[in-house]
Amino acid sequence: MTNTETIRKTFSASIESLIENCDLLEESIHRVSALISTQLLEGNKVLSCGNGGGASDAQYFCSCLINRFERERPSLPALCLSTDASSITGIANDHNFNDIFSKQIRVLGNPGDILFVIFNTGKSSNLVQAIQAAHEKQMFIVVLRSTNELNIEQMMGSNDIELCVQSEKPSRIKEVHLVAIHCICELIEQMLFSM
């Protein structure tokens, strides 16, 4: 396969995956955007977390809420739990790596807040514990994941929302996650700041 063929094959696969997942995720993306908008209007905040690429997506999502996405508007309260290296390494060193998010949630989370969790592929016990801690704090949970995390459904409450990307390939999953985040940010801005 030539370089040009590889590039075109990758672009085509990405487009096909995005179209397929748009149909599957559209309603959930709308529900997530409405939930976050409603809870922000109630004076609550968003906490987000993830591992690896999910951590960078969680940080980017919070940045879009705090700063802006597509329009100038007031900042929205959001905090990424994946970015405080001192807290993360301190908790991992003194307690357990699985506690790096749950310990932060127990002190920073309040009832009505939203935990936005981004799962990539693989086992993520620290994210599972984060969901458990958020439930203890009576927070809403939004999970962005793929079909590779099979036991997450059992942890979800009736008010929680899952966005489950249909793909086995990590690069396609990440691409859909990013577009879903963009859709959520755009809808939040429309819901809260449309003239």
Side-chain angles (χ1 to χ4, degrees), residues 5-61:
E5 289 171 336
T6 299
I7 292 167
R8 291 189 175 277
K9 180 181 175 186
T10 300
F11 268 79
S12 295
S14 179
I15 292 165
E16 289 171 15
S17 177
L18 288 169
I19 291 170
E20 174 189 348
N21 280 284
C22 177
D23 294 335
L24 298 170
L25 300 177
E26 183 178 359
E27 178 59 30
S28 294
I29 289 171
H30 183 270
R31 287 179 55 222
V32 167
S33 306
L35 172 66
I36 293 174
S37 297
T38 299
Q39 293 311 113
L40 290 174
L41 286 172
E42 294 286 325
N44 297 298
K45 65 185 173 297
V46 175
L47 303 178
S48 69
C49 59
N51 292 315
S56 63
D57 288 344
Q59 182 177 7
Y60 173 67
F61 178 58

Side-chain angles (χ1 to χ4, degrees), residues 7 9 17 23-24 32 38 41 61-62 74 84 93 100 107 114 134 142 148 155 162 166 170-172 192:
I7 292 167
K9 180 181 175 186
S17 177
D23 294 335
L24 298 170
V32 167
T38 299
L41 286 172
F61 178 58
C62 285
D84 185 345
N93 184 60
I100 62 171
V107 71
I114 295 165
V142 173
N148 295 325
M155 300 185 61
E162 276 186 285
Q166 300 296 309
S171 56
R172 298 292 85 81
L192 295 181

Side-chain angles (χ1 to χ4, degrees), residues 173-186:
I173 294 166
K174 178 124 175 106
E175 290 162 359
V176 176
H177 281 183
L178 184 58
V179 173
I181 287 169
H182 284 167
C183 289
I184 292 166
C185 290
E186 187 160 358

Side-chain angles (χ1 to χ4, degrees), residues 56-73:
S56 63
D57 288 344
Q59 182 177 7
Y60 173 67
F61 178 58
C62 285
S63 173
C64 289
L65 294 177
I66 292 170
N67 183 28
R68 65 188 295 275
F69 179 61
E70 295 287 341
R71 65 176 77 189
E72 293 299 331
R73 40 92 176 153

Side-chain angles (χ1 to χ4, degrees), residues 139-159:
M139 296 170 63
F140 294 94
I141 314 293
V142 173
V143 171
L144 188 54
R145 70 180 189 91
S146 73
T147 53
N148 295 325
E149 293 83 29
L150 300 175
N151 297 321
I152 300 304
E153 302 95 357
Q154 301 166 6
M155 300 185 61
M156 301 299 282
S158 59
N159 294 320

